[in-house]
Structure formats: C-alpha cells, structure tokens
Amino acid sequence: MAVVQITLVKGRTREQKAAIAAAINKAMVEIAHSPADHINIVFHEVDRENWAIAGKLLPEYIADMDRK
C-alpha cells in the first residue's frame, strides 16, 4: 500500500487533479511496481494566504516577483 500526499495551492480543476492522480498512479505502477489499486493519492489544498515563501505570504511574494 502506498500513500502519496500532494500539497498545493488551491485553484486546480477537478480535471487537472484527475490527470495528476493518473500520472502519479502510472509512475508508481511502472517504477515502484505497486499494484494500481494499492495506491492512494491525497490532495491537500492550501489557501494562498496560508502559504509563505522566503518569509512572505504567497500573494506578497508573487507581487514582489512581478515587480522584478
């Protein structure tokens, strides 16, 4: 049994998450030789204001990068 946890900023569509899950499942089957039905993938979605990079909340970090 494998559990793959993905943490990302909210905003991906259901279709995007399904494609990510399919690609990861395929990789786990091909590389780790895990049975496809033993792979669990969990998406943890975080609001932008709850994510920080370099000590700045994500909206401010992105704004600073856009100014460069």
Side-chain angles (χ1 to χ4, degrees):
M1 173 90 53
V3 177
V4 178
Q5 297 187 48
I6 302 169
T7 304
L8 57 138
V9 174
K10 283 184 182 178
R12 288 2 177 257
T13 65
R14 183 182 190 288
E15 291 76 18
Q16 288 172 313
K17 289 184 278 188
I20 292 167
I24 290 171
N25 203 78
K26 182 177 185 226
M28 289 294 294
V29 169
E30 292 175 359
I31 298 167
H33 306 289
S34 295
D37 61 343
H38 289 190
I39 301 163
N40 294 274
I41 300 168
V42 180
F43 290 93
H44 300 280
E45 295 184 281
V46 180
D47 290 324
R48 290 181 176 276
E49 59 269 10
N50 293 328
W51 195 294
I53 300 174
K56 297 178 182 177
L57 295 177
L58 191 55
E60 288 78 21
Y61 179 81
I62 292 171
D64 287 350
M65 295 302 291
D66 287 344
R67 286 192 278 269
K68 290 183 180 181

